Amino acid sequence: MANVTPIFKKGDKSDPGNYRPVCLTSQIGKVLEKILKQEIVLYLEDNKKISGSQHGFRNKRSCLTNLLDFSENVLRHADDKDPVDIFFLDLQKAFDKVPHNKLLLKVHNIGIRGKLLGWITDWLKGRKQRVVLEGDKSDWIEVCSGVPQGSVLGPILFIIYINDIDDKIMNKIWKFADDTKILGKVKTDNDREIIKNDIIKFMEWSEMWQMPFNVKKCKVMHIGNLNPKLEYEMKGEKIEVVEQETDLGIELNNQLKWDAQCRKSAKKGNQILGLIYRTFECKSKKIILSLYKSLVRPHLDYCIQVWRPYLQKDIDILEKVQKRATRMVEGLKGLSYKERLKRLNLTTLETRRIRADLIEVYKIFHGLEGLKVEDFFEVVQDSNTRGHKFKIYKRAFRTNFGKFSFGNRVTSDWNLLPAETVMAENILKFKNLVDHHLKQVGGSK
């Protein structure tokens, strides 16, 4: 029996459908769920039971790995002048719609059986919940479907349920829990037929497993000057065409530019700085620096390896946020920006972005991310190459999309690293060595 708290997502606040029902469940129950989850995840990962397209609730996978792999594919198509269509698909109330009997069938088919399957069956049975809002309580109601949101096991069971959604899909697909996107070329008649068939296969899967798509929230984005801009339908309804879409918190547009994301991040950072300025009377170095690092800078850093700006106007709009933050510190307002950074032991945001890129390359080469080296880099095979053994080629691209993609822009900075840095035994050691290296070479480019 669980109380449900409605958590607002987005859209019209007066529409109950725009709230996520999160259950407040027993802490002791969560401890037991965590023990079981660890064993289930170990089994699924060791036996490669989960599709590689799934980036949610998995070890070495995240929003960053999803977006990085996706953006690299999009940018390379753009550099090759291949018109592509990107579909952003929305499963309607996905976590709440999962039929228990079909979920248990999929859990069985993936290899989880015996007493553990029996335990999961009992765990799903006999559940009741009610909504509690500002002290008012609804009546209790039996829960006949869905995985409990707010539980530890719920997300794992959900990704098992939708694991086979891409089994028959020909184009590349990325999932983060129920957020699904598909990328397909539309250059030839054959390309267009394949992507239309993929949409039909999604619909067939949806009907078979009782997981309807919310067509009104499904979107398609046309990219490329030669894009035929086809119309697509689901359930007889046209899929909305968009020029810009928020994907896992990042603003993606059909021009493949990051200006909207830069403005969004800068706006959020400035809003929080304004709140800090109005709220805190004392603006000592310790307080402002702590608040800036914990509340403001994460918005400027979020998945920056995906949308790192290369145009000066976009670089400047982000740097102005940090400049404003450093001016707020008592006694530093009249100093130059360079001097303020020195006294606060900060680097420019551009240096910080170089550092983030290098850390991600290290993680990919050393297997700390669920991404393949060959999907991003072409490694120099010459054993006589001076420097370290992980040097990578700089590829020839025709457009800025390719030149400034993650896999290409990191080449020079990565190849300049000393061998001991690249071969550091752990990520913490690598970060320390990179910080020292960037300080030695002057940091900002």
Side-chain angles (χ1 to χ4, degrees):
M1 300 174 75
N3 292 330
V4 170
T5 299
I7 305 296
F8 178 67
K9 295 188 287 185
K10 62 180 180 179
D12 183 3
K13 288 191 175 183
S14 64
D15 182 359
N18 289 330
Y19 289 79
R20 178 179 284 112
V22 175
C23 298
L24 302 176
T25 55
S26 160
Q27 294 299 317
I28 288 181
K30 283 185 176 181
V31 172
L32 177 55
E33 287 180 53
K34 187 172 182 180
I35 294 169
L36 296 176
K37 176 199 165 185
Q38 288 173 342
E39 295 301 320
I40 292 172
V41 168
L42 189 64
Y43 163 75
L44 295 175
E45 296 292 351
D46 285 352
N47 293 281
K48 295 181 171 55
K49 294 287 187 177
I50 299 298
S51 166
S53 64
Q54 179 61 261
H55 291 254
F57 310 112
R58 297 185 64 190
N59 296 330
K60 300 181 182 180
R61 299 294 182 98
S62 63
C63 289
L64 175 57
T65 60
N66 180 302
L67 290 166
L68 207 54
D69 191 41
F70 168 69
S71 63
E72 199 76 6
N73 276 267
V74 174
L75 293 173
R76 288 185 181 181
H77 277 300
D79 192 75
D80 291 337
K81 296 186 178 180
D82 289 332
V84 295
D85 284 347
I86 303 170
F87 291 84
F88 302 91
L89 303 177
D90 185 84
L91 289 167
Q92 190 175 55
K93 301 292 180 186
F95 276 72
D96 302 320
K97 294 277 188 178
V98 177
H100 287 171
N101 59 332
K102 293 192 174 186
L103 170 61
L104 292 170
L105 173 63
K106 288 202 172 189
V107 170
H108 177 274
N109 289 343
I110 212 166
I112 298 172
R113 299 170 187 174
K115 289 184 178 180
L116 181 52
L117 179 59
W119 188 94
I120 293 172
T121 303
D122 287 343
W123 182 74
L124 291 170
K125 275 184 184 176
R127 284 184 170 270
K128 291 185 178 182
Q129 66 184 32
R130 64 181 179 183
V131 178
V132 179
L133 186 62
E134 296 181 354
D136 292 324
K137 304 178 182 68
S138 70
D139 294 331
W140 290 102
I141 188 171
E142 289 190 18
V143 181
C144 301
S145 65
V147 293
Q149 296 198 48
S151 66
V152 177
L153 273 181
I156 301 301
L157 294 177
F158 180 78
I159 66 172
I160 289 174
Y161 193 77
I162 66 166
N163 187 48
D164 61 350
I165 193 172
D166 48 340
D167 274 1
K168 298 178 181 179
I169 303 302
M170 300 296 291
N171 283 295
K172 193 155 174 64
I173 182 174
W174 292 264
K175 303 196 293 282
F176 190 91
D178 61 325
D179 285 325
T180 304
K181 53 184 175 278
I182 179 172
L183 170 70
K185 282 201 304 182
V186 286
K187 193 171 186 177
T188 66
D189 289 340
N190 185 53
D191 293 335
R192 296 161 199 159
E193 193 63 30
I194 288 173
I195 202 163
K196 285 181 178 179
N197 287 335
D198 282 346
I199 299 301
I200 292 171
K201 289 169 187 173
F202 275 125
M203 294 304 301
E204 290 173 348
W205 182 93
S206 166
E207 291 172 9
M208 178 182 292
W209 296 103
Q210 296 175 253
M211 292 287 286
F213 283 100
N214 187 344
V215 182
K216 290 181 180 178
K217 291 186 178 180
C218 292
K219 311 286 175 61
V220 61
M221 182 182 292
H222 304 305
I223 294 179
N225 294 329
L226 301 177
N227 196 299
K229 299 184 178 179
L230 302 174
E231 290 187 345
Y232 300 93
E233 290 187 356
M234 295 178 83
K235 297 182 182 177
E237 292 185 52
K238 287 184 180 179
I239 300 177
E240 181 185 353
V241 178
V242 294
E243 294 183 354
Q244 183 169 307
E245 180 68 8
T246 303
D247 179 28
L248 299 179
I250 300 297
E251 297 297 322
L252 176 71
N253 63 47
N254 61 354
Q255 298 300 312
L256 302 180
K257 295 180 179 178
W258 302 115
D259 51 339
Q261 175 61 28
C262 291
R263 290 195 302 271
K264 174 184 174 181
S265 297
K267 181 180 178 181
K268 188 65 178 178
N270 280 319
Q271 286 176 341
I272 299 172
L273 281 179
L275 179 64
I276 292 170
Y277 185 82
R278 294 189 300 271
T279 306
F280 289 85
E281 187 69 28
C282 177
K283 296 180 176 63
S284 67
K285 172 183 172 180
K286 182 179 180 181
I287 290 176
I288 297 300
L289 201 55
S290 178
L291 290 169
Y292 169 69
K293 287 182 177 180
S294 59
L295 300 179
V296 179
R297 200 166 65 181
H299 291 284
L300 308 176
D301 285 347
Y302 173 68
C303 290
I304 193 63
Q305 296 90 334
V306 177
W307 58 276
R308 178 178 162 186
Y310 57 87
L311 296 177
Q312 194 60 46
K313 66 181 183 67
D314 295 331
I315 293 171
D316 290 343
I317 196 174
L318 294 176
E319 203 69 45
K320 283 178 181 177
V321 180
Q322 183 164 273
K323 287 181 179 179
R324 181 185 176 190
T326 59
R327 281 198 302 270
M328 287 170 56
V329 178
E330 289 174 345
L332 299 188
K333 189 174 182 179
L335 301 176
S336 68
Y337 181 47
K338 185 176 181 180
E339 183 61 27
R340 295 198 300 270
L341 291 178
K342 185 178 178 181
R343 295 200 183 188
L344 295 172
N345 196 28
L346 294 174
T347 66
T348 63
L349 291 178
E350 180 63 8
T351 299
R352 189 168 174 80
R353 289 189 284 269
I354 294 170
R355 178 181 187 269
D357 274 355
L358 294 174
I359 290 171
E360 189 63 21
V361 179
Y362 175 88
K363 287 182 176 180
I364 293 172
F365 268 107
H366 290 267
L368 301 178
E369 292 280 49
L371 298 171
K372 296 178 182 177
V373 173
E374 58 270 24
D375 288 344
F376 294 88
F377 315 113
E378 186 179 347
V379 182
V380 177
Q381 300 296 333
D382 186 359
S383 59
N384 295 320
T385 302
R386 296 175 66 182
H388 57 79
K389 67 176 183 178
F390 289 148
K391 286 199 170 185
I392 49 183
Y393 285 111
K394 198 173 188 72
R395 300 177 182 178
F397 287 97
R398 290 188 291 268
T399 66
N400 284 339
F401 304 133
K403 289 176 186 175
F404 294 100
S405 65
F406 169 75
N408 198 58
R409 68 167 184 262
V410 299
T411 305
S412 298
D413 291 319
W414 175 257
N415 288 343
L416 285 173
L417 290 177
E420 64 168 331
T421 302
V422 170
M423 299 305 296
E425 59 266 28
N426 57 59
I427 189 67
L428 184 60
K429 179 73 172 174
F430 178 80
K431 288 178 180 179
N432 290 334
L433 291 171
V434 161
D435 289 340
H436 177 73
H437 170 77
L438 290 175
K439 193 173 182 181
Q440 291 292 106
V441 299
S444 179
K445 303 297 181 186

